[in-house]
Amino acid sequence: MEALAMSGRVGPTGEDVKDPDGIKKHQNHQQNSGDVLQQIMTVAAENLEDTQARKHALSCHRMKGALFDVLCEIKEKTAFSIESIKEEEEEEEEEDVPDSPNPHIIRLDNMLLAEGVVGPERGGASAPVVVMAAGALLEDGTLEQAQYRGKLAHIRQIYHAELEKYEQACKEFTNHVINLLKEQSRTRPVSPKEIERRVAIIHRKFSPIQIQLKQSTCEAIMMLRSQFLDARRQRRNFDKDTVDVLNEYFYAHLANPYPDDDDKEELARKCCMSVAQVTNWFVNKRVRYKKNVAKHLEEAKLYASVSSIGSEGSSPATPNSGGPDGEL
DNA sequence: GTCAATGATTACTG
DNA sequence: CAGTAATCATTGAC
């Protein structure tokens, strides 16, 4: 209220306030400020043109500066307590905000980081097509791995594009609100602290969108993983040339169809498959041959004639038994 | 849609 | 740890 006491020496109505009578001066002040407050109260009920005219009149008023200060002070005192209560309530309601990160969000962040969706890009992740093309020729990297990386890079791209959109929208809305508040600050007291509080509220309201984006991205990664890492869903029959090479070896070593590590590697190289796949193929072949020898006889004859080495026996033996009459 | 064939996985064994 | 047996999940011919 000091602001009012220290305000100009000329009254709003223009009369002389140098009156030595302090009571009269005080009454004048009261009446003047009452008038201005009354004008403010009636502004809301008026149409736009009247309001603009009234606003202009108010902003030109000699008492405006002093009254504005007074209103700021009152608002600081009253609104501050209300806001602080509100904030406490909001904090209680919204525990899922980034200000108080919960384990779920931490898990999402960790997964995004582990998969390289956030954080530093991993060698060419931004160029999935190149990765996919080159990936087929990489060390142990199969075409599937290259496709996995390519799709992961695509998810990364989408995530960052959406994140950018989100940040842009949040920023635009925040700026819009700040501008509105600044605009309003010409006719009503708006403290920087209030602007700060409003911005914080906007960010809190926007954060669930960001969490949803993270959640969706993680779900996409999980789906991709299950799609690519479960080989059974990826199963492809080996092509005929591959099966020919394997069958040739199998029937050529029918007495002991247990390729050693060197042979497995050689076959894997020849057939463009992994050693594990060669091992699987022989496991399946042995058991299925044994289950139906009769059915495989024709096949045995065919590959026996193809193979220059020739069959060592008509029945597969147990590993390293060496004998042609061994059992599987 | 059905079903045999087939590649991969799991539990268990020696 | 390599192998077997049983089983799963998918492919591909019909």
Side-chain angles (χ1 to χ4, degrees):
Chain A
M1 275 297 181
E2 312 92 279
L4 184 62
M6 290 172 72
S7 64
R9 295 157 69 88
V10 180
T13 50
E15 80 278 42
D16 188 8
V17 289
K18 286 176 194 165
D19 187 348
D21 186 352
I23 297 167
K24 191 182 173 190
K25 195 170 98 180
H26 186 68
Q27 280 172 341
N28 272 342
H29 273 261
Q30 275 193 325
Q31 195 190 342
N32 291 336
S33 54
D35 286 347
V36 177
L37 283 170
Q38 189 55 47
Q39 286 176 46
I40 293 168
M41 294 298 282
T42 55
V43 159
E46 294 173 353
N47 66 37
L48 199 60
E49 281 174 17
D50 289 346
T51 306
Q52 291 295 345
R54 189 78 65 163
K55 261 173 76 179
H56 182 71
L58 273 170
S59 58
C60 295
H61 199 284
R62 272 168 293 186
M63 287 286 286
K64 192 231 175 187
L67 264 171
F68 201 79
D69 287 344
V70 173
L71 284 169
C72 279
E73 216 172 292
I74 293 168
K75 188 177 159 65
E76 271 303 308
K77 283 177 185 164
T78 55
F80 191 70
S81 56
I82 294 167
E83 287 288 337
S84 60
I85 292 164
K86 267 191 198 168
E87 272 178 11
E88 278 169 18
E89 284 170 356
E90 277 171 8
E91 274 164 22
E92 278 170 21
E93 280 171 18
E94 298 174 29
E95 285 178 0
D96 290 351
V97 293
D99 302 317
S100 54
N102 68 22
H104 179 59
I105 296 167
I106 293 171
R107 272 202 303 278
L108 293 180
D109 285 337
N110 286 343
M111 184 171 178
L112 293 173
L113 196 63
E115 291 294 334
V117 171
V118 297
E121 286 193 21
R122 293 170 186 176
S126 60
V129 178
V130 177
V131 169
M132 284 174 78
L137 304 168
L138 290 175
E139 8 74 58
D140 192 33
T142 60
L143 183 64
E144 284 71 27
Q145 282 175 316
Q147 283 176 339
Y148 177 79
R149 285 204 299 274
K151 291 196 175 183
L152 196 61
H154 189 223
I155 289 174
R156 183 190 161 101
Q157 273 185 331
I158 292 171
Y159 174 78
H160 285 286
E162 291 296 318
L163 191 66
E164 203 176 312
K165 272 192 220 165
Y166 155 82
E167 278 168 353
Q168 184 69 23
C170 186
K171 202 171 143 189
E172 272 176 18
F173 190 72
T174 304
N175 286 340
H176 180 65
V177 169
I178 290 172
N179 286 338
L180 270 177
L181 289 170
K182 279 182 181 167
E183 179 70 25
Q184 287 182 11
S185 71
R186 282 196 257 164
T187 51
R188 76 177 181 91
V190 179
S191 66
K193 193 159 182 160
E194 185 182 345
I195 294 177
E196 206 177 289
R197 256 184 256 132
R198 297 289 162 209
V199 169
I201 289 167
I202 292 165
H203 287 176
R204 271 212 296 278
K205 298 293 177 196
F206 265 81
S207 72
I209 302 169
Q210 196 180 14
I211 294 166
Q212 182 59 48
L213 176 62
K214 286 180 181 178
Q215 177 84 39
S216 304
T217 307
C218 286
E219 280 168 12
I221 292 170
M222 295 293 276
M223 279 178 69
L224 188 66
R225 286 170 74 97
S226 67
Q227 188 186 340
F228 274 84
L229 300 185
D230 186 349
R232 281 185 293 199
R233 294 183 193 285
Q234 256 307 92
R235 193 177 72 78
R236 290 280 179 278
N237 289 350
F238 300 136
D239 59 36
K240 193 177 179 305
D241 291 346
T242 300
V243 176
D244 278 348
V245 171
L246 297 169
N247 269 322
E248 209 172 300
Y249 184 98
F250 181 83
Y251 287 109
H253 302 79
L254 196 56
N256 188 36
Y258 297 86
D260 59 23
D261 289 346
D262 288 342
D263 284 347
K264 281 181 190 172
E265 274 177 35
E266 173 71 9
L267 286 165
R269 196 184 52 76
K270 268 191 195 171
C271 301
C272 298
M273 57 181 12
S274 67
V275 172
Q277 283 177 306
V278 173
T279 304
N280 274 336
W281 189 90
F282 275 88
V283 166
N284 286 320
K285 187 70 187 178
R286 281 191 297 267
V287 73
R288 283 161 188 165
Y289 179 90
K290 198 189 85 174
K291 272 185 181 171
N292 197 346
V293 178
K295 201 201 85 180
H296 285 83
L297 272 178
E298 284 302 308
E299 198 179 61
K301 282 178 193 166
L302 179 68
Y303 284 103
S305 63
V306 168
S307 168
S308 57
I309 300 164
S311 168
E312 292 168 18
S314 59
S315 176
T318 47
N320 307 318
S321 69
D325 297 325
E327 290 173 9
L328 275 175

